[in-house]
Amino acid sequence: MNGLLDPPPEDRAPVAAPARTGADTFADFYRREIGGLVNFLVWMGADLADATDLAQETMIDAYRGWSGITFPRAWARRVASRKFVRRVTAAESAAELDADSPLLPVHHDTAEWEFQDEVIQLLRTLPWRQRQVMAWTLDGYRPIEIAEELRISPEAVRGNLRLARLALAAHIRAPGEGPQ
């Protein structure tokens, strides 16, 4: 994922990729996943500064336990999600983000940046579980995979996804186009 809110590429391998092999290095994993992990945390509701910090903390944990992690992509999202929840509930304040951070894409297209900001603001209007399920979905996971990671039923995932989509559609529906 190159930019904030970019959808997963169509030609990418399925999210539920097989367990990593001995040939997978942490450095390869880091380079491939750090941007997507930051995006995932923003979709969860973190601001950019917190998302960057949490992604880095998660990657440090992944490095320390690399030999024992079988599915690193899902592991990183699960750990980062938990770190985010702890940060939100503890109401910690984030430090100012360095605008030159190599983890963040440089936005040259103002219209695109404004659109992405609107999407993030819309996601933040959702209740926690709906926002959580949407973040996993936007990151390319299927409901069955999300259910497994969040330890809830696939039906609960689908229900929350449905409610989230309805709520988002109601927010973006133009006035006069039907019930709000």
Side-chain angles (χ1 to χ4, degrees), residues 97-161:
L97 179 64
D98 178 7
D100 297 325
S101 173
L103 297 179
L104 305 176
V106 177
H107 290 284
H108 298 289
D109 183 350
T110 305
E112 177 187 345
W113 182 83
E114 287 175 346
F115 173 74
Q116 292 172 353
D117 187 58
E118 287 177 30
V119 171
I120 291 167
Q121 295 307 316
L122 281 173
L123 290 172
R124 288 183 177 159
T125 66
L126 296 174
W128 169 248
R129 183 61 88 179
Q130 291 174 23
R131 186 172 56 222
Q132 187 180 37
V133 168
M134 283 298 295
W136 282 89
T137 302
L138 289 169
D139 211 34
Y141 284 82
R142 296 183 317 250
I144 192 85
E145 296 165 328
I146 298 168
E148 188 175 304
E149 290 301 323
L150 300 180
R151 295 187 176 119
I152 60 177
S153 73
E155 293 77 22
V157 170
R158 286 185 193 94
N160 278 291
L161 193 53

Side-chain angles (χ1 to χ4, degrees), residues 22-72:
D24 289 336
T25 67
F26 174 77
D28 292 336
F29 170 73
Y30 181 92
R31 281 190 290 277
R32 186 176 62 246
E33 293 294 331
I34 188 67
L37 189 57
V38 171
N39 284 347
F40 174 77
L41 289 162
V42 169
W43 291 330
M44 293 282 294
D47 64 35
L48 218 40
D50 281 342
T52 304
D53 287 346
L54 292 167
Q56 284 291 38
E57 290 173 18
T58 300
M59 287 299 192
I60 290 168
D61 292 347
Y63 177 75
R64 290 179 178 149
W66 187 246
S67 63
I69 300 172
T70 306
F71 298 97

